[in-house]
Amino acid sequence: MAKDIYDLFAKRHGNWRSQNLKYLRYVFNDHFVLVIMFLIGFLAYQYADFLKKLPAHWLPGYVIAVLVSIMVLFFGQLATFVERADQQFLLAKEKAVQAYLKNAVKKSLVFPAVVIVLMTFIIRPLISLSLTLTLVWAIVLIAIKYMLLSKKAQSFVQNELIQWQSLINYEKNRQNAVLKVFSQFTDVKGLQQQAKRRKYLDVLLPKTKMTYDYLFIRTFLRSGDYWLLMLRLLGLAVLSLIFIHADIFALLLALIFNYLLVFQLFPIRQSQDYQILTNLYPLKASAKNLAAGKLIRNLVFTVSLVELVVSLLTFQNKLLAGIFVLLAVLMGVLYPRWKLK
Protein backbone atom coordinates (compact mmCIF):
# COMPACT_ATOMS: atom_id res chain seq x y z
CA MET A 1 0.00 0.00 0.00
CA ALA A 2 1.37 3.40 -0.96
CA LYS A 3 2.31 5.32 2.16
CA ASP A 4 0.71 8.56 0.93
CA ILE A 5 -2.62 6.77 0.41
CA TYR A 6 -2.41 5.25 3.88
CA ASP A 7 -1.58 8.64 5.43
CA LEU A 8 -4.45 10.32 3.57
CA PHE A 9 -7.10 7.90 4.83
CA ALA A 10 -5.55 7.76 8.31
CA LYS A 11 -5.90 11.55 8.50
CA ARG A 12 -9.55 11.33 7.42
CA HIS A 13 -10.15 8.62 10.00
CA GLY A 14 -8.64 10.82 12.69
CA ASN A 15 -10.80 13.80 11.67
CA TRP A 16 -13.91 11.61 11.72
CA ARG A 17 -13.04 10.28 15.18
CA SER A 18 -12.41 13.80 16.51
CA GLN A 19 -15.71 15.00 15.10
CA ASN A 20 -17.62 12.14 16.70
CA LEU A 21 -15.94 12.69 20.06
CA LYS A 22 -17.02 16.32 19.93
CA TYR A 23 -20.64 15.32 19.32
CA LEU A 24 -20.51 12.63 22.02
CA ARG A 25 -20.02 15.36 24.61
CA TYR A 26 -23.51 16.60 23.78
CA VAL A 27 -25.01 13.12 23.63
CA PHE A 28 -23.65 11.93 26.99
CA ASN A 29 -24.53 15.00 29.01
CA ASP A 30 -25.20 14.76 32.76
CA HIS A 31 -28.94 14.09 32.44
CA PHE A 32 -28.60 11.49 29.70
CA VAL A 33 -25.81 9.64 31.51
CA LEU A 34 -27.98 9.37 34.64
CA VAL A 35 -30.87 8.04 32.57
CA ILE A 36 -28.65 5.50 30.81
CA MET A 37 -27.10 4.36 34.10
CA PHE A 38 -30.54 3.89 35.61
CA LEU A 39 -31.74 2.00 32.54
CA ILE A 40 -28.70 -0.29 32.48
CA GLY A 41 -29.00 -0.93 36.22
CA PHE A 42 -32.69 -1.70 35.91
CA LEU A 43 -32.19 -4.10 32.99
CA ALA A 44 -29.27 -5.81 34.76
CA TYR A 45 -31.38 -6.28 37.90
CA GLN A 46 -34.28 -7.71 35.90
CA TYR A 47 -31.96 -10.02 33.93
CA ALA A 48 -30.24 -11.29 37.09
CA ASP A 49 -33.61 -11.94 38.73
CA PHE A 50 -34.77 -13.77 35.60
CA LEU A 51 -31.67 -16.00 35.58
CA LYS A 52 -32.33 -17.04 39.19
CA LYS A 53 -35.72 -18.46 38.15
CA LEU A 54 -34.44 -19.97 34.91
CA PRO A 55 -35.05 -23.74 34.64
CA ALA A 56 -32.27 -26.08 33.56
CA HIS A 57 -31.91 -26.68 29.80
CA TRP A 58 -34.37 -23.90 28.95
CA LEU A 59 -35.18 -24.49 25.25
CA PRO A 60 -36.16 -20.87 24.37
CA GLY A 61 -32.68 -19.85 25.55
CA TYR A 62 -31.14 -21.63 22.56
CA VAL A 63 -33.59 -19.90 20.21
CA ILE A 64 -32.66 -16.53 21.74
CA ALA A 65 -28.96 -17.34 21.38
CA VAL A 66 -29.40 -18.12 17.67
CA LEU A 67 -31.41 -14.94 17.06
CA VAL A 68 -28.87 -12.80 18.92
CA SER A 69 -26.04 -14.44 16.95
CA ILE A 70 -27.74 -13.42 13.71
CA MET A 71 -28.64 -9.91 14.86
CA VAL A 72 -25.17 -9.13 16.23
CA LEU A 73 -23.69 -9.71 12.77
CA PHE A 74 -25.50 -6.55 11.57
CA PHE A 75 -23.50 -4.34 13.96
CA GLY A 76 -20.72 -2.36 12.31
CA GLN A 77 -20.19 -1.43 8.69
CA LEU A 78 -17.17 -1.20 6.44
CA ALA A 79 -15.61 2.24 7.04
CA THR A 80 -13.69 3.43 3.95
CA PHE A 81 -13.63 7.25 4.35
CA VAL A 82 -13.70 7.65 0.58
CA GLU A 83 -14.79 11.08 -0.67
CA ARG A 84 -16.32 12.24 -3.93
CA ALA A 85 -13.13 13.88 -5.23
CA ASP A 86 -11.23 10.60 -4.95
CA GLN A 87 -12.70 9.27 -8.19
CA GLN A 88 -10.64 11.91 -10.01
CA PHE A 89 -7.57 12.50 -7.86
CA LEU A 90 -6.95 8.87 -6.82
CA LEU A 91 -7.83 7.31 -10.17
CA ALA A 92 -4.15 6.74 -10.98
CA LYS A 93 -3.63 4.90 -7.67
CA GLU A 94 -6.47 2.40 -7.79
CA LYS A 95 -4.22 -0.51 -6.84
CA ALA A 96 -3.14 1.30 -3.68
CA VAL A 97 -6.78 2.13 -2.83
CA GLN A 98 -7.74 -1.53 -3.35
CA ALA A 99 -4.99 -2.54 -0.94
CA TYR A 100 -6.31 0.04 1.52
CA LEU A 101 -9.81 -1.44 1.30
CA LYS A 102 -8.43 -4.78 2.49
CA ASN A 103 -6.80 -3.03 5.44
CA ALA A 104 -10.05 -1.13 6.14
CA VAL A 105 -11.79 -4.49 6.66
CA LYS A 106 -9.52 -5.25 9.62
CA LYS A 107 -10.03 -1.84 11.20
CA SER A 108 -13.79 -2.01 10.68
CA LEU A 109 -13.87 -5.34 12.52
CA VAL A 110 -12.80 -3.87 15.88
CA PHE A 111 -16.19 -2.44 16.93
CA PRO A 112 -18.27 -5.46 15.80
CA ALA A 113 -15.81 -7.79 17.58
CA VAL A 114 -16.27 -5.93 20.87
CA VAL A 115 -20.06 -6.07 20.50
CA ILE A 116 -19.96 -9.78 19.66
CA VAL A 117 -17.84 -10.64 22.70
CA LEU A 118 -20.10 -8.63 25.02
CA MET A 119 -23.31 -10.17 23.64
CA THR A 120 -22.03 -13.74 23.80
CA PHE A 121 -21.06 -13.35 27.45
CA ILE A 122 -24.42 -11.73 28.26
CA ILE A 123 -26.39 -14.52 26.55
CA ARG A 124 -24.10 -17.26 27.88
CA PRO A 125 -26.11 -17.92 31.12
CA LEU A 126 -29.27 -18.63 29.10
CA ILE A 127 -27.74 -21.77 27.59
CA SER A 128 -25.21 -22.63 30.36
CA LEU A 129 -22.13 -22.61 28.14
CA SER A 130 -18.64 -23.09 29.52
CA LEU A 131 -16.06 -20.34 29.14
CA THR A 132 -14.22 -22.28 26.41
CA LEU A 133 -17.35 -22.82 24.31
CA THR A 134 -18.34 -19.18 24.78
CA LEU A 135 -14.97 -18.04 23.42
CA VAL A 136 -15.29 -20.44 20.48
CA TRP A 137 -18.80 -19.08 19.82
CA ALA A 138 -17.50 -15.50 19.84
CA ILE A 139 -14.53 -16.35 17.58
CA VAL A 140 -16.80 -18.07 15.03
CA LEU A 141 -19.10 -15.02 14.92
CA ILE A 142 -16.11 -12.67 14.54
CA ALA A 143 -14.81 -14.82 11.66
CA ILE A 144 -18.22 -14.68 9.95
CA LYS A 145 -18.33 -10.91 10.42
CA TYR A 146 -14.85 -10.63 8.90
CA MET A 147 -15.97 -12.58 5.83
CA LEU A 148 -19.04 -10.36 5.47
CA LEU A 149 -16.92 -7.20 5.63
CA SER A 150 -14.43 -8.68 3.14
CA LYS A 151 -17.23 -9.57 0.77
CA LYS A 152 -18.55 -6.02 1.03
CA ALA A 153 -15.12 -4.59 0.21
CA GLN A 154 -14.76 -6.93 -2.77
CA SER A 155 -18.15 -5.87 -4.12
CA PHE A 156 -16.70 -2.43 -4.89
CA VAL A 157 -14.02 -3.93 -7.16
CA GLN A 158 -15.09 -5.44 -10.46
CA ASN A 159 -12.71 -6.50 -13.24
CA GLU A 160 -9.87 -5.12 -11.10
CA LEU A 161 -11.43 -1.64 -11.24
CA ILE A 162 -12.99 0.24 -8.34
CA GLN A 163 -16.67 1.09 -8.75
CA TRP A 164 -16.15 4.59 -7.45
CA GLN A 165 -19.73 5.82 -7.52
CA SER A 166 -21.03 2.85 -5.54
CA LEU A 167 -18.17 3.15 -3.05
CA ILE A 168 -18.71 6.90 -2.58
CA ASN A 169 -22.48 6.54 -2.12
CA TYR A 170 -22.00 3.71 0.38
CA GLU A 171 -19.57 5.71 2.51
CA LYS A 172 -21.77 8.80 2.42
CA ASN A 173 -24.79 6.80 3.57
CA ARG A 174 -22.72 5.18 6.33
CA GLN A 175 -21.55 8.51 7.69
CA ASN A 176 -25.05 10.00 7.42
CA ALA A 177 -26.43 7.12 9.50
CA VAL A 178 -23.97 7.95 12.30
CA LEU A 179 -24.55 11.70 12.06
CA LYS A 180 -28.33 11.19 12.25
CA VAL A 181 -27.89 9.77 15.76
CA PHE A 182 -25.94 12.86 16.83
CA SER A 183 -28.48 15.16 15.16
CA GLN A 184 -31.05 14.06 17.76
CA PHE A 185 -28.97 15.86 20.41
CA THR A 186 -27.23 18.78 18.70
CA ASP A 187 -26.66 20.56 15.39
CA VAL A 188 -24.59 18.46 13.01
CA LYS A 189 -22.58 19.76 10.08
CA GLY A 190 -22.43 17.80 6.86
CA LEU A 191 -25.64 15.84 7.46
CA GLN A 192 -27.78 15.38 4.37
CA GLN A 193 -31.40 15.09 5.42
CA GLN A 194 -33.97 13.53 3.13
CA ALA A 195 -37.64 14.35 3.36
CA LYS A 196 -40.25 11.80 2.39
CA ARG A 197 -43.90 12.56 2.04
CA ARG A 198 -46.06 10.04 3.84
CA LYS A 199 -49.48 10.50 2.31
CA TYR A 200 -51.19 8.46 5.01
CA LEU A 201 -50.10 11.11 7.53
CA ASP A 202 -51.54 14.06 5.60
CA VAL A 203 -54.68 13.87 7.73
CA LEU A 204 -52.55 14.96 10.70
CA LEU A 205 -51.48 18.17 8.99
CA PRO A 206 -53.46 21.09 10.45
CA LYS A 207 -54.50 24.04 8.35
CA THR A 208 -52.32 26.78 9.75
CA LYS A 209 -50.83 29.99 8.42
CA MET A 210 -48.21 30.19 11.17
CA THR A 211 -44.86 29.82 9.44
CA TYR A 212 -42.97 27.70 11.96
CA ASP A 213 -46.02 25.63 12.88
CA TYR A 214 -46.32 24.76 9.21
CA LEU A 215 -42.63 23.91 8.84
CA PHE A 216 -42.08 22.02 12.10
CA ILE A 217 -45.12 19.77 11.74
CA ARG A 218 -44.03 18.76 8.25
CA THR A 219 -40.47 18.28 9.43
CA PHE A 220 -41.71 15.94 12.16
CA LEU A 221 -43.94 13.88 9.87
CA ARG A 222 -41.76 13.78 6.77
CA SER A 223 -38.16 13.66 7.95
CA GLY A 224 -36.49 10.32 8.46
CA ASP A 225 -35.84 10.91 12.15
CA TYR A 226 -38.56 12.32 14.37
CA TRP A 227 -41.66 10.36 13.33
CA LEU A 228 -39.94 6.96 13.47
CA LEU A 229 -38.19 7.97 16.69
CA MET A 230 -41.51 8.66 18.38
CA LEU A 231 -42.96 5.35 17.19
CA ARG A 232 -39.95 3.39 18.47
CA LEU A 233 -39.87 4.99 21.90
CA LEU A 234 -43.64 4.86 22.32
CA GLY A 235 -43.59 1.19 21.31
CA LEU A 236 -40.88 0.43 23.89
CA ALA A 237 -42.83 2.29 26.59
CA VAL A 238 -46.05 0.41 25.79
CA LEU A 239 -44.26 -2.94 25.76
CA SER A 240 -42.74 -2.10 29.15
CA LEU A 241 -46.17 -1.32 30.58
CA ILE A 242 -47.60 -4.55 29.22
CA PHE A 243 -44.90 -7.12 29.92
CA ILE A 244 -43.23 -5.85 33.12
CA HIS A 245 -45.42 -6.96 35.99
CA ALA A 246 -43.82 -4.73 38.62
CA ASP A 247 -45.88 -1.55 38.23
CA ILE A 248 -43.29 0.83 39.62
CA PHE A 249 -40.51 -0.50 37.39
CA ALA A 250 -42.73 -0.43 34.31
CA LEU A 251 -43.70 3.14 35.12
CA LEU A 252 -40.10 4.28 35.61
CA LEU A 253 -39.01 2.64 32.36
CA ALA A 254 -41.85 4.34 30.46
CA LEU A 255 -40.86 7.68 32.00
CA ILE A 256 -37.28 7.16 30.80
CA PHE A 257 -38.45 6.54 27.25
CA ASN A 258 -40.63 9.66 27.42
CA TYR A 259 -37.69 11.73 28.60
CA LEU A 260 -35.54 10.42 25.76
CA LEU A 261 -38.30 11.33 23.30
CA VAL A 262 -38.65 14.90 24.58
CA PHE A 263 -34.91 15.40 24.81
CA GLN A 264 -34.38 14.28 21.22
CA LEU A 265 -37.22 16.45 19.90
CA PHE A 266 -35.52 19.70 20.87
CA PRO A 267 -33.25 19.85 17.78
CA ILE A 268 -36.38 20.28 15.65
CA ARG A 269 -36.17 23.93 16.64
CA GLN A 270 -33.00 24.28 14.53
CA SER A 271 -34.25 22.11 11.67
CA GLN A 272 -35.19 25.15 9.54
CA ASP A 273 -32.25 27.40 10.40
CA TYR A 274 -30.87 27.03 6.89
CA GLN A 275 -34.22 27.81 5.28
CA ILE A 276 -33.38 31.23 3.85
CA LEU A 277 -36.94 32.04 2.85
CA THR A 278 -38.03 32.25 6.49
CA ASN A 279 -35.98 35.44 6.73
CA LEU A 280 -38.38 37.12 4.29
CA TYR A 281 -41.27 36.91 6.76
CA PRO A 282 -41.73 39.54 9.49
CA LEU A 283 -41.50 36.97 12.27
CA LYS A 284 -40.79 37.68 15.91
CA ALA A 285 -37.74 36.09 17.46
CA SER A 286 -39.97 34.11 19.85
CA ALA A 287 -42.07 32.56 17.06
CA LYS A 288 -39.65 29.67 16.58
CA ASN A 289 -39.62 28.74 20.27
CA LEU A 290 -43.39 28.96 20.53
CA ALA A 291 -43.92 26.69 17.53
CA ALA A 292 -41.36 24.11 18.72
CA GLY A 293 -42.83 24.14 22.24
CA LYS A 294 -46.35 23.72 20.88
CA LEU A 295 -45.34 20.72 18.75
CA ILE A 296 -43.48 19.03 21.63
CA ARG A 297 -46.42 19.69 23.99
CA ASN A 298 -48.94 18.10 21.60
CA LEU A 299 -46.72 15.06 21.06
CA VAL A 300 -46.13 14.55 24.78
CA PHE A 301 -49.86 14.84 25.47
CA THR A 302 -50.60 12.24 22.79
CA VAL A 303 -47.94 9.82 24.01
CA SER A 304 -48.96 10.27 27.66
CA LEU A 305 -52.61 9.63 26.77
CA VAL A 306 -51.72 6.33 25.09
CA GLU A 307 -49.60 5.28 28.06
CA LEU A 308 -52.32 6.32 30.50
CA VAL A 309 -54.87 4.09 28.77
CA VAL A 310 -52.44 1.14 28.63
CA SER A 311 -51.41 1.54 32.28
CA LEU A 312 -55.05 1.65 33.41
CA LEU A 313 -55.52 -1.71 31.74
CA THR A 314 -52.32 -3.33 33.02
CA PHE A 315 -51.46 -1.77 36.40
CA GLN A 316 -52.70 -3.37 39.58
CA ASN A 317 -52.38 -0.02 41.35
CA LYS A 318 -54.46 2.28 39.13
CA LEU A 319 -53.33 5.37 41.05
CA LEU A 320 -49.85 5.02 39.58
CA ALA A 321 -51.34 5.58 36.13
CA GLY A 322 -52.19 9.13 37.17
CA ILE A 323 -48.48 9.97 37.11
CA PHE A 324 -48.73 10.10 33.32
CA VAL A 325 -51.04 13.11 33.71
CA LEU A 326 -48.42 14.85 35.84
CA LEU A 327 -45.77 13.80 33.36
CA ALA A 328 -47.69 15.39 30.50
CA VAL A 329 -47.64 18.75 32.29
CA LEU A 330 -44.02 18.49 33.40
CA MET A 331 -42.45 17.09 30.23
CA GLY A 332 -44.87 18.68 27.78
CA VAL A 333 -45.17 22.22 29.16
CA LEU A 334 -42.70 23.18 31.89
CA TYR A 335 -39.54 21.39 30.75
CA PRO A 336 -39.70 22.50 27.08
CA ARG A 337 -40.49 26.08 28.10
CA TRP A 338 -37.35 26.14 30.24
CA LYS A 339 -35.16 24.19 27.83
CA LEU A 340 -36.02 26.16 24.69
CA LYS A 341 -34.85 29.37 26.29
Side-chain angles (χ1 to χ4, degrees):
M1 188 193 308
K3 186 176 185 303
D4 54 345
I5 295 294
Y6 178 84
D7 292 341
L8 172 64
F9 285 104
K11 182 179 179 181
R12 291 180 182 176
H13 189 188
N15 293 337
W16 173 252
R17 182 172 58 248
S18 299
Q19 181 187 26
N20 289 349
L21 289 175
K22 181 185 70 174
Y23 290 138
L24 281 174
R25 290 184 302 170
Y26 298 99
V27 174
F28 292 102
N29 57 66
D30 295 341
H31 297 87
F32 191 69
V33 169
L34 288 174
V35 170
I36 293 297
M37 289 178 61
F38 177 84
L39 181 60
I40 293 175
F42 169 75
L43 293 177
Y45 174 80
Q46 291 290 318
Y47 187 57
D49 184 63
F50 172 75
L51 291 177
K52 292 178 181 178
K53 304 174 183 177
L54 189 68
H57 306 293
W58 189 52
L59 183 59
Y62 295 93
V63 177
I64 294 173
V66 172
L67 293 177
V68 170
S69 299
I70 295 173
M71 292 174 60
V72 80
L73 293 175
F74 290 96
F75 280 89
Q77 292 180 295
L78 177 67
T80 65
F81 303 102
V82 174
E83 297 180 359
R84 188 167 299 279
D86 293 346
Q87 60 185 327
Q88 281 86 32
F89 293 101
L90 297 183
L91 191 61
K93 296 189 175 183
E94 281 207 13
K95 294 297 183 182
V97 176
Q98 291 180 28
Y100 162 75
L101 288 178
K102 295 179 181 179
N103 187 65
V105 171
K106 299 176 183 178
K107 291 186 176 181
S108 300
L109 185 64
V110 175
F111 173 70
V114 173
V115 174
I116 288 172
V117 171
L118 287 176
M119 293 305 298
T120 51
F121 275 88
I122 290 174
I123 300 299
R124 172 192 174 191
L126 292 179
I127 50 180
S128 302
L129 278 185
S130 65
L131 179 60
T132 302
L133 289 178
T134 305
L135 291 175
V136 172
W137 179 22
I139 291 172
V140 170
L141 291 178
I142 292 173
I144 294 174
K145 183 62 180 181
Y146 178 79
M147 290 188 292
L148 292 175
L149 291 174
S150 299
K151 184 178 180 180
K152 189 64 179 180
Q154 293 169 5
S155 69
F156 297 120
V157 181
Q158 297 180 9
N159 299 322
E160 299 184 354
L161 295 174
I162 296 177
Q163 305 301 304
W164 285 103
Q165 197 58 50
S166 299
L167 181 58
I168 291 168
N169 291 337
Y170 169 83
E171 179 61 19
K172 191 63 179 178
N173 291 334
R174 184 193 72 82
Q175 293 188 13
N176 271 343
V178 177
L179 294 177
K180 278 184 178 180
V181 177
F182 296 134
S183 70
Q184 303 299 322
F185 299 88
T186 185
D187 295 334
V188 173
K189 294 182 179 179
L191 177 62
Q192 295 182 352
Q193 296 281 9
Q194 292 184 345
K196 177 183 178 182
R197 181 185 178 185
R198 299 178 174 94
K199 291 185 178 180
Y200 58 90
L201 297 178
D202 285 353
V203 295
L204 301 178
L205 295 174
K207 295 180 180 180
T208 178
K209 295 183 179 180
M210 304 298 291
T211 302
Y212 283 111
D213 286 346
Y214 183 94
L215 291 173
F216 288 161
I217 292 173
R218 281 161 175 77
T219 299
F220 171 76
L221 293 177
R222 295 177 178 178
S223 75
D225 302 324
Y226 299 108
W227 169 251
L228 296 179
L229 171 71
M230 188 197 74
L231 291 182
R232 287 194 295 268
L233 291 176
L234 176 59
L236 290 173
V238 170
L239 290 175
S240 301
L241 296 173
I242 294 175
F243 292 105
I244 297 179
H245 300 296
D247 293 352
I248 188 65
F249 286 122
L251 174 64
L252 291 174
L253 199 56
L255 296 182
I256 289 176
F257 290 130
N258 287 352
Y259 170 78
L260 293 176
L261 172 62
V262 174
F263 187 81
Q264 295 182 74
L265 284 175
F266 286 129
I268 204 170
R269 179 190 178 277
Q270 289 86 28
S271 62
Q272 302 299 324
D273 282 358
Y274 299 102
Q275 176 58 262
I276 300 177
L277 295 179
T278 56
N279 297 325
L280 299 177
Y281 292 91
L283 300 173
K284 295 181 179 180
S286 60
K288 189 184 297 185
N289 282 350
L290 290 174
K294 180 180 178 181
L295 176 62
I296 294 173
R297 180 177 68 249
N298 291 339
L299 292 175
V300 172
F301 284 178
T302 302
V303 169
S304 298
L305 178 62
V306 173
E307 293 170 342
L308 175 63
V309 173
V310 174
S311 59
L312 286 173
L313 296 174
T314 58
F315 281 5
Q316 294 180 350
N317 186 356
K318 307 299 182 184
L319 293 177
L320 286 177
I323 293 180
F324 287 111
V325 178
L326 180 62
L327 172 74
V329 177
L330 178 62
M331 300 297 292
V333 180
L334 301 179
Y335 182 58
R337 187 179 299 171
W338 168 76
K339 188 71 175 178
L340 290 171
K341 290 181 179 180

